[in-house]
Coordinates of all heavy atoms in Angstrom, one line a residue:
M132 N 56.4 121.7 137.9 CA 56.6 120.9 136.7 C 55.2 120.6 136.1 O 54.3 120.2 136.7 CB 57.2 119.6 137.2 CG 57.4 118.6 136.1 SD 58.3 117.2 136.7 CE 58.6 116.3 135.2
P133 N 55.1 120.8 134.8 CA 53.9 120.6 134.1 C 53.4 119.1 134.1 O 54.3 118.2 134.0 CB 54.1 121.1 132.7 CG 55.5 121.3 132.5 CD 56.2 121.3 133.9
S134 N 52.2 118.9 134.1 CA 51.6 117.6 134.0 C 50.5 117.6 133.0 O 50.2 118.7 132.4 CB 51.0 117.2 135.4 OG 51.9 117.2 136.4
F135 N 49.9 116.5 132.7 CA 48.9 116.4 131.7 C 47.7 115.8 132.2 O 47.7 114.9 133.1 CB 49.4 115.6 130.5 CG 50.5 116.2 129.7 CD1 51.8 116.0 130.0 CD2 50.2 117.1 128.7 CE1 52.8 116.6 129.3 CE2 51.2 117.7 128.0 CZ 52.5 117.5 128.3
Q136 N 46.5 116.2 131.7 CA 45.2 115.6 131.9 C 44.6 115.2 130.6 O 45.0 115.8 129.6 CB 44.3 116.7 132.6 CG 44.7 117.0 134.0 CD 43.8 118.0 134.7 OE1 43.2 118.8 134.0 NE2 43.6 117.8 136.0
A137 N 43.7 114.3 130.7 CA 43.0 113.8 129.5 C 41.5 113.5 129.8 O 41.2 113.2 130.9 CB 43.7 112.6 129.0
K138 N 40.7 113.7 128.8 CA 39.3 113.3 128.9 C 38.9 112.6 127.6 O 39.5 112.8 126.5 CB 38.4 114.4 129.2 CG 38.1 115.4 128.1 CD 37.0 116.4 128.5 CE 36.7 117.3 127.4 NZ 35.6 118.2 127.7
L139 N 37.9 111.8 127.6 CA 37.4 111.0 126.4 C 36.9 112.0 125.4 O 36.1 112.9 125.7 CB 36.3 110.0 126.8 CG 36.8 108.8 127.5 CD1 35.6 108.0 127.9 CD2 37.6 107.9 126.5
K140 N 37.2 111.7 124.2 CA 36.5 112.4 123.1 C 35.1 111.8 123.0 O 34.8 110.7 123.3 CB 37.2 112.1 121.7 CG 38.6 112.7 121.6 CD 39.2 112.3 120.3 CE 40.6 112.9 120.2 NZ 41.3 112.5 118.9
P141 N 34.1 112.7 122.7 CA 32.7 112.3 122.7 C 32.4 111.0 121.9 O 31.6 110.2 122.4 CB 31.9 113.5 122.1 CG 32.8 114.6 122.3 CD 34.2 114.1 122.2
E142 N 33.0 110.8 120.8 CA 32.7 109.6 120.0 C 33.2 108.3 120.6 O 32.9 107.2 120.1 CB 33.3 109.7 118.6 CG 34.8 109.9 118.5 CD 35.3 111.3 118.5 OE1 34.6 112.2 119.1 OE2 36.4 111.6 118.0
F143 N 34.0 108.3 121.7 CA 34.5 107.1 122.3 C 33.9 106.8 123.7 O 34.4 105.9 124.4 CB 36.0 107.2 122.4 CG 36.7 107.2 121.1 CD1 37.3 108.3 120.6 CD2 36.7 106.1 120.3 CE1 37.9 108.4 119.4 CE2 37.3 106.1 119.0 CZ 37.9 107.2 118.6
R144 N 32.9 107.6 124.1 CA 32.3 107.4 125.4 C 31.7 106.0 125.6 O 31.8 105.4 126.7 CB 31.3 108.5 125.7 CG 31.9 109.8 125.9 CD 30.9 110.9 126.3 NE 31.6 112.2 126.4 CZ 31.0 113.3 126.1 NH1 29.8 113.4 125.7 NH2 31.7 114.4 126.2
R145 N 31.1 105.4 124.6 CA 30.5 104.1 124.7 C 31.6 103.0 124.8 O 31.3 102.0 125.4 CB 29.6 103.8 123.5 CG 28.4 104.5 123.5 CD 27.5 104.1 122.4 NE 26.2 104.7 122.5 CZ 25.2 104.5 121.7 NH1 25.4 103.6 120.7 NH2 24.0 105.1 121.8
D146 N 32.8 103.3 124.3 CA 33.9 102.3 124.4 C 34.5 102.2 125.7 O 35.2 101.2 126.0 CB 35.0 102.6 123.3 CG 34.5 102.6 121.9 OD1 33.5 101.8 121.6 OD2 35.0 103.3 121.1
H147 N 34.3 103.2 126.6 CA 35.0 103.3 127.9 C 33.9 103.6 129.0 O 34.0 104.7 129.5 CB 36.1 104.3 127.9 CG 37.1 104.0 126.8 ND1 38.1 103.0 126.9 CD2 37.3 104.5 125.6 CE1 38.8 102.9 125.8 NE2 38.4 103.9 125.0
P148 N 33.0 102.7 129.3 CA 32.0 103.1 130.3 C 32.5 103.3 131.7 O 31.8 103.9 132.5 CB 31.1 101.8 130.3 CG 31.9 100.7 129.7 CD 32.9 101.4 128.8
E149 N 33.8 102.9 131.9 CA 34.4 103.1 133.3 C 34.8 104.6 133.5 O 35.2 105.0 134.6 CB 35.5 102.2 133.5 CG 36.8 102.4 132.6 CD 36.7 101.9 131.2 OE1 35.7 101.5 130.7 OE2 37.8 101.8 130.6
L150 N 34.8 105.4 132.4 CA 35.2 106.8 132.5 C 34.1 107.7 132.1 O 33.2 107.4 131.3 CB 36.4 107.0 131.4 CG 37.6 106.2 131.6 CD1 38.6 106.5 130.5 CD2 38.3 106.6 132.9
S151 N 34.1 108.8 132.8 CA 33.1 109.9 132.5 C 33.6 110.6 131.3 O 34.8 111.0 131.2 CB 32.9 110.8 133.7 OG 32.3 112.0 133.3
G152 N 32.8 110.9 130.3 CA 33.2 111.7 129.2 C 33.3 113.2 129.5 O 33.8 114.0 128.6
Y153 N 33.0 113.6 130.7 CA 33.0 115.0 131.1 C 34.2 115.4 132.0 O 34.5 116.6 132.1 CB 31.7 115.4 131.7 CG 30.5 115.1 130.8 CD1 29.8 114.0 131.0 CD2 30.3 115.9 129.7 CE1 28.7 113.7 130.1 CE2 29.2 115.6 128.8 CZ 28.5 114.5 129.1 OH 27.4 114.2 128.2
N154 N 34.8 114.4 132.7 CA 35.8 114.7 133.6 C 37.2 114.6 133.0 O 37.4 113.8 132.1 CB 35.8 113.6 134.8 CG 34.6 113.7 135.6 OD1 33.9 114.8 135.7 ND2 34.2 112.6 136.3
W155 N 38.1 115.4 133.5 CA 39.5 115.4 133.1 C 40.2 114.5 134.1 O 40.0 114.6 135.3 CB 40.1 116.8 133.2 CG 39.7 117.6 132.0 CD1 38.6 118.5 132.0 CD2 40.2 117.7 130.7 NE1 38.5 119.1 130.8 CE2 39.5 118.6 130.0 CE3 41.3 117.1 130.1 CZ2 39.8 119.0 128.7 CZ3 41.6 117.4 128.8 CH2 40.8 118.3 128.1
Y156 N 41.1 113.6 133.6 CA 41.8 112.6 134.5 C 43.3 112.9 134.3 O 43.8 113.3 133.3 CB 41.6 111.2 134.0 CG 40.1 110.8 134.2 CD1 39.2 110.9 133.1 CD2 39.6 110.3 135.4 CE1 37.9 110.5 133.2 CE2 38.3 109.9 135.5 CZ 37.4 110.0 134.4 OH 36.1 109.7 134.5
E157 N 44.0 112.7 135.4 CA 45.5 112.9 135.4 C 46.1 111.8 134.6 O 45.8 110.6 134.8 CB 46.0 112.9 136.9 CG 47.5 113.1 136.9 CD 48.1 113.0 138.3 OE1 47.3 112.7 139.3 OE2 49.3 113.1 138.5
V158 N 47.0 112.1 133.7 CA 47.8 111.1 133.0 C 49.1 110.8 133.8 O 49.8 111.8 134.1 CB 48.2 111.7 131.6 CG1 49.0 110.7 130.8 CG2 46.9 112.1 130.8
V159 N 49.3 109.5 134.0 CA 50.4 109.2 134.9 C 51.3 108.1 134.1 O 50.7 107.3 133.3 CB 50.0 108.6 136.2 CG1 49.3 109.7 137.1 CG2 49.1 107.4 136.1
P160 N 52.6 108.1 134.4 CA 53.4 107.0 133.7 C 53.2 105.7 134.4 O 52.6 105.6 135.5 CB 54.8 107.5 134.0 CG 54.7 108.4 135.2 CD 53.4 109.0 135.2
L161 N 53.5 104.6 133.7 CA 53.4 103.3 134.2 C 54.2 103.1 135.5 O 53.8 102.5 136.4 CB 53.9 102.2 133.2 CG 52.9 102.0 132.0 CD1 53.5 101.0 131.0 CD2 51.6 101.4 132.6
W162 N 55.4 103.6 135.5 CA 56.3 103.6 136.6 C 56.9 105.0 136.8 O 57.1 105.7 135.8 CB 57.5 102.6 136.4 CG 57.0 101.2 136.1 CD1 56.6 100.3 137.1 CD2 56.8 100.6 134.9 NE1 56.2 99.2 136.5 CE2 56.3 99.3 135.1 CE3 57.0 100.9 133.6 CZ2 56.0 98.4 134.1 CZ3 56.8 100.1 132.5 CH2 56.3 98.8 132.8
P163 N 57.2 105.4 138.0 CA 57.8 106.7 138.2 C 59.1 106.9 137.4 O 59.9 106.0 137.3 CB 58.2 106.7 139.7 CG 57.2 105.7 140.3 CD 57.0 104.7 139.2
G164 N 59.2 108.0 136.7 CA 60.4 108.4 135.9 C 60.3 107.9 134.5 O 61.2 108.3 133.7
V165 N 59.3 107.0 134.1 CA 59.3 106.6 132.8 C 58.7 107.7 131.9 O 57.6 108.2 132.2 CB 58.4 105.3 132.7 CG1 58.2 104.9 131.2 CG2 59.0 104.2 133.4
T166 N 59.4 108.0 130.8 CA 59.0 109.1 130.0 C 58.7 108.6 128.5 O 58.2 109.3 127.7 CB 60.0 110.2 129.9 OG1 61.2 109.7 129.5 CG2 60.2 110.9 131.3
K167 N 59.0 107.3 128.2 CA 58.8 106.8 126.9 C 57.3 106.5 126.7 O 56.6 106.2 127.6 CB 59.6 105.5 126.6 CG 61.1 105.8 126.6 CD 61.8 104.5 126.3 CE 63.3 104.8 126.2 NZ 64.1 103.6 125.9
R168 N 56.9 106.6 125.5 CA 55.5 106.3 125.2 C 55.2 104.8 125.3 O 56.1 104.0 125.1 CB 55.2 106.7 123.7 CG 55.2 108.2 123.5 CD 54.8 108.5 122.1 NE 54.8 109.9 121.9 CZ 54.7 110.5 120.8 NH1 54.7 109.8 119.7 NH2 54.6 111.8 120.7
T169 N 54.0 104.5 125.8 CA 53.6 103.1 126.0 C 52.8 102.7 124.7 O 51.9 103.5 124.3 CB 52.7 103.0 127.2 OG1 53.5 103.5 128.3 CG2 52.4 101.6 127.5
L170 N 53.0 101.6 124.2 CA 52.3 101.1 123.0 C 51.7 99.7 123.3 O 52.3 98.9 124.1 CB 53.2 100.9 121.8 CG 54.0 102.1 121.4 CD1 55.0 101.8 120.2 CD2 53.1 103.2 120.9
N171 N 50.5 99.4 122.7 CA 50.0 98.1 122.8 C 50.5 97.2 121.7 O 51.3 97.7 120.9 CB 48.4 98.1 122.9 CG 47.8 98.6 121.6 OD1 48.5 98.8 120.6 ND2 46.5 98.9 121.7
L172 N 50.1 96.0 121.6 CA 50.6 95.1 120.6 C 50.3 95.5 119.2 O 51.0 95.2 118.2 CB 50.1 93.7 120.8 CG 50.7 93.0 122.1 CD1 50.0 91.6 122.3 CD2 52.2 92.8 121.9
A173 N 49.2 96.3 119.0 CA 48.8 96.8 117.7 C 49.6 98.1 117.3 O 49.4 98.6 116.2 CB 47.3 97.1 117.7
G174 N 50.4 98.5 118.2 CA 51.2 99.7 118.0 C 50.5 101.0 118.3 O 51.0 102.1 118.0
D175 N 49.3 101.0 119.0 CA 48.6 102.2 119.4 C 49.3 102.8 120.6 O 49.6 102.1 121.5 CB 47.1 101.8 119.7 CG 46.4 101.3 118.5 OD1 46.6 101.7 117.4 OD2 45.6 100.4 118.8
R176 N 49.4 104.1 120.6 CA 49.9 104.8 121.8 C 48.9 104.7 122.9 O 47.7 105.0 122.6 CB 50.3 106.2 121.4 CG 51.1 106.9 122.5 CD 51.5 108.3 122.0 NE 50.9 109.2 122.9 CZ 50.6 110.4 122.6 NH1 50.8 110.9 121.5 NH2 50.1 111.2 123.5
L177 N 49.3 104.4 124.1 CA 48.4 104.3 125.2 C 48.6 105.4 126.3 O 49.8 105.9 126.4 CB 48.5 103.0 125.9 CG 48.2 101.7 125.1 CD1 48.6 100.5 125.9 CD2 46.8 101.7 124.6
A178 N 47.6 105.8 127.0 CA 47.8 106.7 128.1 C 47.2 106.0 129.4 O 46.2 105.3 129.3 CB 47.0 108.0 127.9
R179 N 47.9 106.2 130.5 CA 47.4 105.6 131.8 C 46.8 106.7 132.6 O 47.4 107.7 132.8 CB 48.6 105.0 132.5 CG 48.2 104.3 133.8 CD 49.4 103.7 134.4 NE 49.1 102.9 135.6 CZ 49.8 103.0 136.8 NH1 50.8 103.8 136.8 NH2 49.4 102.3 137.8
L180 N 45.5 106.6 132.9 CA 44.8 107.6 133.6 C 44.5 107.2 135.0 O 44.1 106.1 135.3 CB 43.4 107.8 132.9 CG 43.5 108.1 131.4 CD1 42.1 108.3 130.9 CD2 44.3 109.3 131.1
R181 N 44.6 108.2 135.9 CA 44.3 108.0 137.4 C 42.8 108.3 137.5 O 42.3 109.4 137.2 CB 45.1 108.9 138.3 CG 44.9 108.6 139.7 CD 45.5 109.7 140.6 NE 46.9 109.9 140.3 CZ 48.0 109.2 140.8 NH1 47.8 108.3 141.6 NH2 49.2 109.6 140.4
T182 N 42.0 107.3 138.0 CA 40.6 107.5 138.3 C 40.4 107.3 139.8 O 41.3 106.8 140.5 CB 39.8 106.5 137.5 OG1 40.0 105.2 138.0 CG2 40.1 106.5 136.0
P183 N 39.2 107.7 140.3 CA 38.9 107.5 141.7 C 39.0 106.0 142.1 O 39.4 105.7 143.3 CB 37.5 108.0 141.9 CG 37.3 109.0 140.8 CD 38.1 108.5 139.6
S184 N 38.8 105.1 141.2 CA 38.8 103.7 141.6 C 40.1 103.0 141.2 O 40.3 101.8 141.4 CB 37.7 102.9 140.9 OG 37.7 103.0 139.5
G185 N 41.1 103.7 140.7 CA 42.4 103.1 140.3 C 42.9 103.7 139.0 O 42.9 104.9 138.8
F186 N 43.5 102.8 138.2 CA 44.1 103.3 136.9 C 43.5 102.6 135.7 O 43.0 101.4 135.8 CB 45.6 103.0 136.9 CG 46.4 103.7 138.0 CD1 46.6 103.1 139.2 CD2 46.8 105.0 137.8 CE1 47.3 103.8 140.2 CE2 47.4 105.7 138.8 CZ 47.7 105.1 140.0
V187 N 43.4 103.3 134.6 CA 42.8 102.8 133.4 C 43.8 103.1 132.2 O 44.3 104.2 132.1 CB 41.5 103.4 133.1 CG1 40.9 102.9 131.8 CG2 40.5 103.1 134.2
M188 N 44.0 102.1 131.4 CA 44.8 102.3 130.1 C 43.9 102.5 129.0 O 42.9 101.8 128.8 CB 45.7 101.1 129.8 CG 46.7 100.8 130.9 SD 48.1 101.9 131.0 CE 49.0 101.5 129.5
V189 N 44.1 103.6 128.2 CA 43.2 104.0 127.1 C 44.1 104.4 125.9 O 45.1 105.0 126.1 CB 42.3 105.2 127.6 CG1 41.4 105.6 126.4 CG2 41.5 104.9 128.8
A190 N 43.6 104.0 124.7 CA 44.3 104.4 123.5 C 44.3 106.0 123.5 O 43.3 106.6 123.7 CB 43.6 103.9 122.3
A191 N 45.5 106.5 123.2 CA 45.6 108.0 123.2 C 44.8 108.6 122.2 O 44.3 109.8 122.3 CB 47.1 108.4 123.0
A192 N 44.5 107.9 121.1 CA 43.6 108.5 120.0 C 42.2 108.7 120.5 O 41.5 109.5 119.9 CB 43.7 107.6 118.8
H193 N 41.8 108.1 121.6 CA 40.5 108.3 122.1 C 40.3 109.4 123.1 O 39.3 109.7 123.6 CB 40.0 107.0 122.9 CG 39.9 105.8 122.0 ND1 39.3 104.6 122.4 CD2 40.3 105.6 120.7 CE1 39.3 103.8 121.4 NE2 39.9 104.3 120.4
L194 N 41.4 110.2 123.3 CA 41.5 111.2 124.3 C 41.8 112.6 123.8 O 42.5 112.7 122.8 CB 42.5 110.8 125.4 CG 42.3 109.5 126.1 CD1 43.6 109.1 126.9 CD2 41.1 109.5 127.0
E195 N 41.4 113.6 124.5 CA 41.8 115.0 124.4 C 42.8 115.2 125.5 O 42.6 114.8 126.6 CB 40.7 116.0 124.5 CG 39.6 115.8 123.5 CD 38.4 116.8 123.8 OE1 38.7 117.9 124.3 OE2 37.3 116.4 123.6
F196 N 43.9 116.0 125.3 CA 44.9 116.2 126.3 C 45.0 117.7 126.5 O 44.8 118.5 125.7 CB 46.3 115.7 125.9 CG 46.3 114.2 125.8 CD1 46.0 113.5 124.6 CD2 46.6 113.4 126.9 CE1 46.1 112.2 124.5 CE2 46.7 112.0 126.8 CZ 46.4 111.4 125.6
K197 N 45.4 118.0 127.8 CA 45.7 119.4 128.1 C 46.9 119.4 129.1 O 47.0 118.5 129.9 CB 44.5 120.2 128.6 CG 44.1 119.8 130.0 CD 42.9 120.8 130.5 CE 42.5 120.4 131.9 NZ 41.4 121.3 132.3
E198 N 47.7 120.4 129.1 CA 48.8 120.5 130.0 C 48.4 121.5 131.1 O 47.7 122.4 130.9 CB 50.0 121.1 129.3 CG 51.3 121.1 130.1 CD 52.5 121.6 129.3 OE1 52.5 121.5 128.1 OE2 53.4 122.1 130.0
Y199 N 48.8 121.2 132.3 CA 48.5 122.1 133.4 C 49.7 122.0 134.4 O 50.5 121.1 134.4 CB 47.2 121.7 134.1 CG 47.3 120.5 135.0 CD1 47.4 120.6 136.4 CD2 47.2 119.2 134.4 CE1 47.5 119.4 137.2 CE2 47.3 118.1 135.2 CZ 47.4 118.2 136.6 OH 47.5 117.1 137.4
A200 N 49.9 123.1 135.2 CA 50.9 123.1 136.2 C 50.3 122.5 137.4 O 49.3 122.9 137.9 CB 51.3 124.6 136.5
A201 N 51.0 121.5 137.9 CA 50.5 120.8 139.1 C 50.3 121.7 140.3 O 51.2 122.6 140.5 CB 51.5 119.7 139.5
G202 N 49.2 121.6 140.9 CA 49.0 122.5 142.1 C 48.2 123.8 141.7 O 48.0 124.6 142.6
D203 N 47.9 124.0 140.4 CA 47.2 125.2 140.0 C 45.7 125.1 140.1 O 45.0 126.0 139.8 CB 47.6 125.7 138.6 CG 47.1 124.9 137.5 OD1 46.4 123.9 137.8 OD2 47.3 125.2 136.4
G204 N 45.2 123.9 140.6 CA 43.8 123.7 140.7 C 43.1 123.4 139.5 O 41.8 123.4 139.4
A205 N 43.8 123.2 138.4 CA 43.1 122.9 137.1 C 42.4 121.6 137.0 O 42.8 120.7 137.7 CB 44.1 123.0 135.9

């Protein structure tokens, strides 16, 4: 089943010091099975990223996305 990864766009690295601008992070739903987009109060689409220290919510506009097949080592 395909999954998604995301990394910060270069212009947003200062806005998110908790993330490396060079690493790709797994995009995960808020709860298992949830497929609807998550929005903040301003109406911005959010992505939840798995990091080594936990999870981080980031505005999707601040990220680049790529699809990968889970288990392919991408």
Side-chain angles (χ1 to χ4, degrees):
M132 177 175 185
S134 298
F135 291 91
Q136 291 182 326
K138 74 174 182 175
L139 282 174
K140 292 179 180 176
E142 61 269 28
F143 296 108
R144 289 184 183 148
R145 286 187 175 180
D146 296 334
H147 303 283
E149 71 278 15
L150 298 174
S151 165
Y153 304 100
N154 293 339
W155 288 93
Y156 298 95
E157 181 183 3
V158 179
V159 296
L161 285 175
W162 300 279
V165 173
T166 57
K167 293 184 179 182
R168 292 181 177 169
T169 304
L170 303 175
N171 65 12
L172 291 174
D175 300 322
R176 194 174 117 206
L177 300 175
R179 183 175 183 228
L180 307 179
R181 183 188 313 270
T182 69
S184 60
F186 297 96
V187 177
M188 298 289 286
V189 179
H193 295 193
L194 301 167
E195 297 176 36
F196 293 91
K197 71 176 182 178
E198 186 176 338
Y199 74 101
D203 72 357

